[in-house]
Amino acid sequence: MNPKVKLGAVAMLAAAAMTTTSIVSATSATAAPANTAARTITAEAPGFTKPTPQGQKNAIALAGKAIAAQEKSLAKSEDDVFTLEKATSVGGAQYLAYNRTYKGLPVYGGGVVVATDGAGLTVSTLETAQKTELNLDVKPSLSARKAANKARTLVAKVESVTTPKLVVHALAETGAPRLAWEVVVSGSSKTAPSVQHVYVDALNGSILSNWDAVKMGTGNGFYNGQVTIATTPSYTMRDNTRSGLACGGQGGTPYTKSTDSWGNGQGTNLETACVDAYWAAQKEWDMLKDWFNYNGFNGRGGGFPARVGLNQVNAFWNGSYTNFGHNQANTQQATPMDVVGHEYGHAIYQFAGSGGGGGGGNEDGGLNESTGDIFGALLEHYANNPNDPGDYTVGEEVNLVGQGPIRYMYKPSTNGDPDCYSSRIPNTEVHAAAGPQNHWFYLLAEGTNPGGGKPASPVCAGPSSLTGIGIQKAGQIYLASLQLRTTSSLTHARARSATLAAAKQQFPNSCTEFNAVKAAWTAVSVPAVSGEATCTIQNPNDFSIAVNPATVSVQAGASGSATVNTAVTAGSAQNVALTATGAPAGTTVSFSPASVTAGQSSSVSIATSASTPTGNYTITVNGAGSSVSHSTTFKLSVTGQPGQDDFSVSVNPASATVNAGGSTSATLSTAVTSGNAQNVALSASGAPSGVTVSFSPASVTAGGSSTVNISASSSVPAGNYTITLTGTGASAAHGTSFALTVSSDPGGTTWQEWKQYNAGDVVTYNGASYRCLQSHTSLPGWEPPNVPALWQAI
């Protein structure tokens, strides 16, 4: 049996987006060049409609109502508060994750996930891991210092310890809820890095639970051939179009050079290794967007950097970045597609749903390792690179330890791993414990006898013959199921239940996918779960709706037209009533006829008035049927009347990143586009609470410019915000958008307790500056004036 080789992971929010980009050619292998930039994806096209902005608003409003209506099933106490943490989408479904606090303290295990349809009109799932209403004293008996010392015992070589944070530990599987200190200890064991998240009982000092952010896996060292990668002039291996992606050496700094040509195609060359890792990470990002409507590796547009040159037969994800070593023969770096896909798969797993983290225990660890293998296979199939065609083996080309593939997803027992689930899995080594879910995924995607050169796959229970639904649909269901996580740990029983619920959410008008998910779990001996979803088609009649042309252009005061086309997509035709929303002031939208039978068309008339503001608008056409409703959009472009005074507005730069408590500025410019110059009053909207926007001057004559000053208070939550800057004149009004990113990085140099400082770091304390003399983790009472051995006044 091949030995299991560890690979790990870490997660970090994106770096500030840059305004310039360079697409470059890079050689990463001696294999024949492949024009991967012009690749053709042969898998099935996505079968979903992305949620609209209105659908997203509907979902947030509906989720709040659902939580209020289900307080009893959520075990809500009068001291509980739910706060929306993130809203993500997979396919056509939306997933809203809420954090719970109790008397102001975060509740670990108390998160809630609400799943809705794309329109935000129907709740399909409401999940939480907390089963007991909280009634606790939140005053700890154990000090933070003692909790930190207890947590340190789980890491052999400690490098840093975070400030202990008081929380309520409410995971149902660990017993009654307890007050706890949450501590993160970074360092290493004798053989691998470790980032332990430890929960210490705040009353008696026992360890309630812990999990390690460093996750291990295996992969291959295959090279991708001649590829194109996005870099930043001049020239840095950092992606300014996919936030947070970068690649460099062990110091964490992205590679930089004077030319935009990277790598020499040699297996031992580290720059070449970065080409492989960086290109594969970009393709995985694109796959998540193109195949699953998923935004970045954390679902919110965030990515993470990669490092190469690790002097180990290993690769890992540590919660903040991926790190890649080399094969045992040291003839090539471990940066092939399936290794990269595997490690970034750990990042996807860590940030999905409201559970967070990587979980603890071998069963969860096996599911986490399987997640990496699944995303490695998905990436290979999406990338469609002839140097490494998509398959379901892990490590098939790198020969990592001289014994061929590490795992076989279609038949794990080929390499001595279990094909199916049993009571032994929770005590099985995590890489071997990946076997049952890997086997399930292959059966779901390909079936038992897929043909076309793909291997046959056995079953352990149930029917002997299964038909697959395709790897893209299988991946869509699995990614959606991860969004339903409400606890840091996952079991095969929960995975079965979540994937069945996800299949219903992703394919609401079909039971084919649902039944395939169920049959595949049965085939790997994961039994039915009490209360799991069932599938019946309630409304077999369905239709589609579209508008042609997609853009209608008119002058203010004039009219335009388009055609609404409907078609029966399932069952029988039904009556469809047509309405429209989103028209600008002074504009009417009418239909002739106002209702049609599915399969018929209607004419849309758009009538503007002389007072209709010029600009571009999105109009939504709604079709309400007797069994289902659908909507579509078209663009309306309104131009000024001939000779009318008009102007344009623009802002430069159009985006910026600030730390909470910081500020930035930009220049808003105006230009006369027709007629005479007019006075333009400037205003802003859409700024989040705590962000102020001012103009200097507050109004200009068209053709002039103004400085936009944007300040973020220290209380502004980290996130991405769109601020609309509007110029209002006597005859027209126009707006432009400014993208503001508020970072969670405090960005300052003020000395803090429980923070890792390195020699040379400069801090301020009570207005004075000090330089760090020795690397250390600061403790209470260790402020610079009191410890001259550690700090030097400057």
Side-chain angles (χ1 to χ4, degrees):
M1 182 177 71
N2 286 353
K4 303 298 183 285
V5 180
K6 299 180 178 179
L7 298 174
V10 153
M12 182 171 73
L13 278 178
M18 297 184 167
T19 56
T20 57
T21 141
S22 169
I23 302 298
V24 304
S25 177
T27 301
S28 66
T30 55
N35 185 12
T36 55
R39 60 169 172 76
T40 300
I41 299 174
T42 57
E44 66 271 24
F48 52 80
T49 301
K50 297 180 181 180
T52 64
Q54 183 59 50
Q56 294 167 350
K57 293 179 181 178
N58 292 344
I60 293 173
L62 182 64
K65 294 177 181 177
I67 289 175
Q70 297 294 323
E71 290 184 353
K72 185 175 181 180
S73 65
L74 296 177
K76 181 183 182 300
S77 77
E78 62 181 12
D79 294 308
D80 285 354
V81 175
F82 295 98
T83 304
L84 180 64
E85 177 196 8
K86 61 182 177 181
T88 59
S89 62
V90 177
Q94 302 187 69
Y95 301 86
L96 298 96
Y98 288 79
N99 289 329
R100 185 194 307 236
T101 58
Y102 173 75
K103 296 182 179 180
L105 297 182
V107 181
Y108 177 58
V112 174
V113 172
V114 182
T116 78
D117 62 347
L121 301 178
T122 304
V123 171
S124 58
T125 306
L126 190 148
E127 293 279 352
T128 185
Q130 182 180 317
K131 305 302 179 185
T132 304
E133 184 176 322
L134 299 178
N135 183 19
L136 299 175
D137 183 357
V138 295
K139 183 177 181 180
S141 301
L142 186 76
S143 69
R145 183 189 296 272
K146 289 183 178 179
N149 289 337
K150 182 70 172 181
R152 291 171 64 98
T153 63
L154 297 185
V155 178
K157 182 181 179 182
V158 175
E159 296 175 1
S160 64
V161 181
T162 63
T163 303
K165 180 173 69 174
L166 203 59
V167 301
V168 175
H169 189 284
L171 289 183
E173 57 264 37
T174 58
R178 302 283 290 175
L179 188 67
W181 289 105
E182 179 185 12
V183 189
V184 181
V185 184
S186 299
S188 62
S189 66
K190 294 181 180 180
T191 59
S194 180
V195 180
Q196 285 282 348
H197 292 246
V198 187
Y199 295 86
V200 181
D201 193 307
L203 300 181
N204 61 29
S206 64
I207 294 178
L208 295 173
S209 66
N210 63 286
W211 59 272
D212 197 334
V214 177
K215 297 299 173 184
M216 303 309 200
T218 56
N220 64 34
F222 135 92
Y223 295 109
N224 299 312
Q226 191 173 32
V227 296
T228 57
I229 56 176
T231 61
T232 301
S234 352
Y235 293 100
T236 301
M237 203 172 278
R238 175 182 284 116
D239 192 333
N240 58 5
T241 63
R242 300 173 183 86
S243 185
L245 287 189
C247 190
Q250 291 299 290
T253 301
Y255 284 144
T256 299
K257 61 191 303 185
S258 59
T259 65
D260 213 3
S261 177
W262 306 82
N264 63 8
Q266 301 301 310
T268 56
N269 180 260
L270 295 186
E271 188 177 291
T272 299
C274 252
V275 171
D276 285 323
Y278 190 51
W279 178 82
Q282 291 174 335
K283 289 303 173 189
E284 190 165 6
W285 179 293
D286 293 347
M287 176 195 71
L288 292 169
K289 174 172 65 73
D290 295 343
W291 273 11
F292 309 131
N293 186 34
Y294 197 69
N295 188 13
F297 291 111
N298 65 1
R300 291 175 287 173
F304 311 99
R307 298 183 184 183
V308 298
L310 177 69
N311 190 23
Q312 298 178 20
V313 182
N314 189 10
F316 63 80
W317 154 256
N318 69 355
S320 298
Y321 58 85
T322 56
N323 204 347
F324 301 94
H326 54 78
N327 66 357
Q328 186 164 288
N330 204 11
T331 56
Q332 63 188 62
Q333 304 302 303
T335 53
M337 256 197 290
D338 60 356
V339 170
V340 177
H342 178 107
E343 300 309 336
Y344 279 103
H346 286 312
I348 295 168
Y349 187 91
Q350 178 171 330
F351 288 95
S354 72
N362 284 18
E363 185 167 7
D364 178 90
L367 291 165
N368 197 337
E369 291 304 326
S370 169
T371 299
D373 292 347
I374 287 170
F375 280 100
L378 284 165
L379 174 58
E380 286 183 346
H381 283 79
Y382 171 85
N384 197 30
N385 187 322
N387 289 327
D388 184 24
D391 54 46
Y392 294 90
T393 55
V394 182
E396 71 277 5
E397 294 186 41
V398 67
N399 198 20
L400 195 66
V401 293
Q403 297 179 18
I406 300 298
R407 287 189 290 280
Y408 297 79
M409 296 177 71
Y410 57 88
K411 188 179 180 182
S413 58
T414 304
N415 212 24
D417 297 335
D419 287 335
C420 297
Y421 184 79
S422 71
S423 60
R424 295 190 298 273
I425 291 297
N427 297 312
T428 302
E429 190 274 334
V430 293
H431 297 89
Q437 185 171 259
N438 279 354
H439 190 191
W440 164 83
F441 186 80
Y442 184 83
L443 290 171
L444 177 61
E446 305 294 347
T448 50
N449 293 282
K454 296 178 181 178
S457 183
V459 299
C460 300
S464 60
S465 178
L466 302 181
T467 300
I469 62 174
I471 190 171
Q472 184 175 343
K473 281 186 176 181
Q476 183 175 331
I477 290 169
Y478 185 66
L479 178 60
S481 76
L482 294 180
Q483 309 314 306
L484 297 173
R485 288 175 62 210
T486 59
T487 173
S488 62
S489 294
L490 195 63
T491 64
H492 285 78
R494 287 177 182 153
R496 173 182 168 122
S497 179
T499 51
L500 287 172
K504 288 190 66 174
Q505 294 155 6
Q506 296 299 310
F507 303 98
N509 298 314
S510 169
C511 286
T512 300
E513 295 79 10
F514 177 93
N515 290 334
V517 170
K518 188 174 183 178
W521 280 122
T522 298
V524 298
S525 299
V526 175
V529 179
S530 175
E532 70 181 20
T534 59
C535 185
T536 56
I537 301 298
Q538 300 294 329
N539 296 306
N541 299 331
D542 204 358
F543 67 94
S544 64
I545 184 171
V547 176
N548 185 40
T551 301
V552 177
S553 298
V554 298
Q555 287 185 342
S559 299
S561 63
T563 300
V564 177
N565 298 309
T566 65
V568 177
T569 58
S572 303
Q574 58 190 292
N575 187 69
V576 180
L578 301 173
T579 57
T581 58
T587 299
T588 59
V589 179
S590 59
F591 300 88
S592 181
S595 64
V596 297
T597 300
Q600 297 177 341
S601 299
S602 176
S603 297
V604 188
S605 297
I606 306 102
T608 65
S609 65
S611 63
T612 298
T614 59
N616 297 315
Y617 305 94
T618 298
I619 297 180
T620 300
V621 176
N622 303 295
S626 56
S627 62
V628 292
S629 297
H630 294 290
S631 63
T632 188
T633 62
F634 70 92
K635 301 292 185 183
L636 174 64
S637 177
V638 181
T639 59
Q641 296 176 339
Q644 177 179 321
D645 296 340
D646 204 358
F647 64 95
S648 65
V649 297
S650 62
V651 63
N652 184 40
S655 64
T657 296
V658 299
N659 294 315
S663 61
T664 189
S665 64
T667 300
L668 187 143
S669 302
T670 63
V672 177
T673 58
S674 64
N676 299 313
Q678 57 190 293
N679 186 67
V680 179
L682 305 176
S683 61
S685 60
S689 177
V691 171
T692 58
V693 183
S694 61
F695 299 85
S696 181
S699 63
V700 298
T701 300
S705 61
S706 175
T707 298
V708 187
N709 297 302
I710 303 171
S711 299
S713 70
S714 59
S715 63
V716 178
N720 299 315
Y721 304 96
T722 299
I723 299 175
T724 300
L725 308 176
T726 302
T728 304
S731 62
H734 297 287
T736 188
S737 295
F738 183 88
L740 177 67
T741 298
V742 178
S743 172
S744 59
D745 181 358
T749 58
T750 304
W751 180 85
Q752 302 174 46
E753 296 179 357
W754 304 101
K755 180 178 175 63
Q756 172 68 28
Y757 288 103
N758 298 315
D761 288 349
V762 175
V763 301
T764 60
Y765 184 82
N766 288 342
S769 296
Y770 300 84
R771 178 178 288 106
C772 179
L773 300 178
Q774 299 180 43
S775 297
H776 67 285
T777 297
S778 58
L779 297 175
W782 283 24
E783 60 267 25
N786 287 349
V787 190
L790 298 178
W791 298 99
Q792 179 184 49
I794 57 175

